[in-house]
Amino acid sequence: LHRVDRRQRQMCIRDRLAEFADCEVTVEGDGRHFDVFVVGDIFEGLRPVQRQQKVYAVLQAQIAEGTIHAVNMKTVTPAELQQ
């Protein structure tokens, strides 16, 4: 994909993840495969699969339509980030 398409898709993912208002979100990728890093208290007390489900729920439409092919994610709380 062209650099513009890649940036547009990264921005789209960031916009979708803006739902996690108090989280810090980083998105990188090649246009179809993305690495998503989310830091927030929203993940406190959740198992890793529950954390991923929260992120996937927000991105589900883009994944279903094929805009996003694959998402590799890391979700942590601010306390975990400091460890």
Side-chain angles (χ1 to χ4, degrees):
L1 288 176
H2 293 91
R3 173 170 243 161
V4 173
D5 293 336
R6 178 177 43 217
R7 285 189 188 149
Q8 287 174 337
R9 289 181 182 182
Q10 287 173 338
M11 288 174 32
C12 178
I13 292 171
R14 277 192 208 101
D15 289 348
R16 294 286 182 180
L17 294 176
E19 178 177 311
F20 302 129
D22 295 329
C23 293
E24 181 180 328
V25 177
T26 304
V27 179
E28 296 180 0
D30 65 7
R32 298 213 44 214
H33 301 86
F34 293 92
D35 294 315
V36 176
F37 184 64
V38 186
V39 180
D41 288 323
I42 190 172
F43 301 122
E44 187 69 43
L46 298 179
R47 295 181 317 232
V49 70
Q50 292 171 311
R51 295 173 181 199
Q52 290 179 354
Q53 287 170 337
K54 282 188 167 291
V55 176
Y56 276 125
V58 175
L59 301 176
Q60 184 175 2
Q62 287 76 22
I63 294 169
E65 69 188 15
T67 302
I68 300 170
H69 178 70
V71 178
N72 177 40
M73 71 181 77
K74 182 169 184 174
T75 53
V76 297
T77 66
E80 291 168 340
L81 185 64
Q82 297 302 319
Q83 294 177 356

